[in-house]
Amino acid sequence: MEHHLLDGMQSALNPQGPQAAVVAEISWLLIGGAALIFIGIMGLTAYAVFARRERAGRISALRLIVGGGIIFPAATLTALLVYSLLRTASLADESAQVPLRIEVIGEQWWWRVHYVGDDGRPDFATANEIRIPVGQPVELALASADVIHGFWVPSLAGKLDMIPGRTNRLRIMAGQPGKFRGQCTEYCGGPHAFMAFYIVADDPQTYATWTERQRQPAAAPVQKVAAQGLDLFVAHCATCHTVRGTRAAGIRGPDLTHVGSRSTIGAGLLTNNTGSLAGWIASNQHLKPGNLMPDFRHFSGIELRALAEYLESLK
Ligand code: CUA
């Protein structure tokens, strides 16, 4: 596999799919064109400053104003407008095969994700990490539960706002397997900067295994410490969180049925492991100030460990 300087970077100049490739192409054309014009202007400026007086009159002032100030910018901007309209029109191509549909709802300050079955019914819910199969078109239905958020995964597509009361549709397709970072790009209050997520593109086989697993309710804990964690979870966390297969069915916060299978917690903030889970539960207001989950400082170290072990076991 060919390696590239921008591998893994959250950058619009690191396209990993056809939609992002169009955005990168337009970006490079604009950057290149702007550089050429800048060089031209610098040349004219140098001429104005350094040319000998008797040569300065050779370029007529009127011609310079009409040609360089009116005709050139009008022609250039018109050409760019037509070009970018034609190129971006190809992004909205509805004729392609019926894509996989995923609903993503921006919430203060995380991402609720619903997979939609072929029959249009809800399939399963997850949060902050969206898995897609490589090489297959995916349609994201972007909505908001509260204020305006901005959905942007630069390696896969241009950005699109999530606006309360409406649904915006975004087509993406990953050209190769990988993990692509996304970020909320519309200021939505408090910890807006900590509202990140990942899109993980898997080969179709791995993706199918993952979806099959996500559909299942949570497995019953095997180890004693995880079983204690489940009891604590149902007693203290069920108002806000769901773990399918248990009595926890709260819907304010992220669905945690398979939280152990996600690579991060806190909306892309921390690597997911028992240490970060325990730290998050006890002290998330320190880690992500202003988020809507309170600190749970009353848990003992043993209780925190049990909760973290339980959550981590939810693969
Ligand atoms: Cu959500 Cu900024």
Side-chain angles (χ1 to χ4, degrees):
M1 207 172 128
E2 195 191 335
H3 282 273
H4 194 264
L5 183 66
L6 291 164
D7 271 354
M9 271 183 78
Q10 178 186 291
S11 168
L13 301 179
N14 177 31
Q16 301 292 317
Q19 290 84 1
V22 170
V23 175
E25 179 197 302
I26 295 173
S27 305
W28 282 119
L29 186 106
L30 290 176
I31 292 165
L36 283 178
I37 291 170
F38 177 76
I39 291 166
I41 299 289
M42 287 301 107
L44 278 174
T45 309
Y47 184 82
V49 173
F50 298 115
R52 274 182 281 125
R53 195 162 268 201
E54 55 270 27
R55 296 184 64 182
R58 283 206 198 150
I59 302 177
S60 126
L62 188 66
R63 241 193 239 169
L64 203 57
I65 291 166
V66 174
I70 299 171
I71 296 174
F72 178 73
T76 311
L77 291 175
T78 308
L80 281 175
L81 178 68
V82 172
Y83 162 78
S84 60
L85 283 177
L86 288 175
R87 282 312 267 136
T88 47
S90 69
L91 296 181
D93 180 18
E94 303 284 327
S95 62
Q97 67 183 101
V98 177
L100 169 69
R101 288 212 167 78
I102 305 170
E103 289 173 8
V104 186
I105 300 154
E107 308 241 357
Q108 284 173 319
W109 288 269
W110 59 283
W111 313 82
R112 191 188 292 274
V113 181
H114 290 146
Y115 281 70
V116 184
D118 292 334
D119 54 1
R121 296 236 200 99
D123 197 349
F124 57 86
T126 179
N128 301 328
E129 193 165 291
I130 303 167
R131 289 200 179 240
I132 60 171
V134 163
Q136 203 174 308
V138 177
E139 186 179 84
L140 300 172
L142 304 176
S144 167
D146 36 50
V147 299
I148 301 177
H149 301 274
F151 185 96
W152 196 26
V153 190
S155 299
L156 293 179
K159 64 174 117 163
L160 197 56
D161 274 359
M162 305 167 115
I163 297 165
R166 59 171 294 166
T167 301
N168 286 330
R169 290 177 194 282
L170 182 70
R171 284 274 177 108
I172 59 169
M173 187 170 102
Q176 47 252 315
K179 192 175 159 192
F180 311 114
R181 193 176 187 276
Q183 166 71 45
C184 182
T185 48
E186 198 67 66
Y187 180 69
C188 50
H192 150 76
F194 294 135
M195 188 171 165
F197 64 104
Y198 284 92
I199 292 189
V200 181
D202 285 326
D203 63 85
Q205 192 70 50
T206 312
Y207 174 76
T209 312
W210 177 82
T211 49
E212 202 36 63
R213 185 128 212 171
Q214 294 289 312
R215 280 188 197 111
Q216 308 299 322
V222 181
Q223 283 170 325
K224 203 175 151 216
V225 62
Q228 287 165 348
L230 168 60
D231 291 342
L232 287 165
F233 187 86
V234 170
H236 298 274
C237 315
T239 322
C240 295
H241 293 287
T242 292
V243 171
R244 273 180 288 124
T246 74
R247 284 187 290 120
I251 55 163
R252 283 194 68 196
D255 184 307
L256 301 179
T257 306
H258 294 287
V259 66
S261 70
R262 298 174 203 155
S263 58
T264 66
I265 60 166
L269 188 64
L270 300 170
T271 304
N272 186 3
N273 54 48
T274 48
S276 60
L277 281 165
W280 174 265
I281 294 164
S283 198
N284 65 79
Q285 288 300 327
H286 176 78
L287 297 161
K288 186 167 171 173
N291 92 82
L292 297 181
M293 175 166 162
D295 284 346
F296 285 82
R297 292 187 179 275
H298 58 278
F299 287 133
S300 70
I302 290 166
E303 289 172 325
L304 278 176
R305 164 120 196 252
L307 270 167
E309 295 270 349
Y310 172 61
L311 292 171
E312 193 60 24
S313 77
L314 301 175
K315 298 288 184 190

